Amino acid sequence: MDKILGYVALGQKQGAKLVSGGKRVGQRGFFVEPTIFDGVRDDMAIAQDEIFGPVVSVLPFKSAAEVFDRANQTYYGLSAGVWTKDIDKAHNFAKHVKAGTVWVNCYHVVDSSTPFGGFKMSGHGRENGEAALDLYSEMKTVTVKLKD
């Protein structure tokens, strides 16, 4: 909660406009209101970091290429989502955005049989599915000379 509220304060300090939320909910637990920022620039921490809280940054765009560049210029790539009625646009988004998981017309739908994990600084390896077995395995090569 303190980390999320710290990002809310930092977003405001860096010049983003807090449109909604941004406060603690109640006195019990560690809950933060759903938070929306407008006027966000690409260089702001709230646009660059993985916040892992209910914080959304609104950044307008003019082209798909601008979206791909913006998404790929961060250090992180855990997941991405796109809403569209055009399946070609969805596939193009998935192809160009460097993220371990891409959701189309949904978000945070995770099935235990499919690998989940990020690209770049967003994790190491994959959870779930057969790919998760790599986390519990260590490969070794043994070469034996049988004859002279």
Side-chain angles (χ1 to χ4, degrees):
M1 179 192 75
D2 290 337
K3 178 183 172 191
I4 306 307
L5 293 176
Y7 273 107
V8 170
L10 183 58
Q12 291 175 298
K13 181 179 178 184
Q14 292 180 334
K17 179 184 176 191
L18 180 63
V19 175
S20 179
K23 297 184 183 85
R24 180 180 183 166
V25 175
Q27 296 302 313
R28 299 177 75 186
F30 301 98
F31 302 101
V32 176
E33 296 174 323
T35 303
I36 301 171
F37 278 103
D38 194 10
V40 180
R41 295 185 319 271
D42 290 328
D43 63 333
M44 292 180 175
I46 59 173
Q48 289 287 319
D49 294 351
E50 290 181 326
I51 298 176
F52 293 112
V55 178
V56 172
S57 297
V58 177
L59 294 99
F61 61 92
K62 293 182 179 168
S63 70
E66 183 181 352
V67 172
F68 306 150
D69 289 343
R70 182 176 278 158
N72 294 333
Q73 286 176 5
T74 70
Y75 291 111
Y76 304 102
L78 182 59
S79 58
V82 62
W83 276 259
T84 180
K85 292 180 181 180
D86 185 330
I87 193 66
D88 290 330
K89 285 182 181 178
H91 282 292
N92 194 41
F93 179 87
K95 177 182 177 181
H96 287 96
V97 172
K98 296 175 187 169
T101 298
V102 175
W103 289 292
V104 178
N105 297 333
C106 59
Y107 203 79
H108 206 270
V109 177
V110 180
D111 184 296
S112 63
S113 66
T114 59
F116 180 80
F119 290 0
K120 302 184 270 184
M121 299 290 290
S122 291
H124 177 73
R126 294 290 179 266
E127 299 173 1
N128 302 335
E130 189 176 321
L133 296 175
D134 290 340
L135 294 173
Y136 303 102
S137 302
E138 188 170 13
M139 301 296 289
K140 179 186 275 189
T141 300
V142 177
T143 304
V144 178
K145 181 179 177 185
L146 297 177
K147 285 188 167 185
D148 277 333

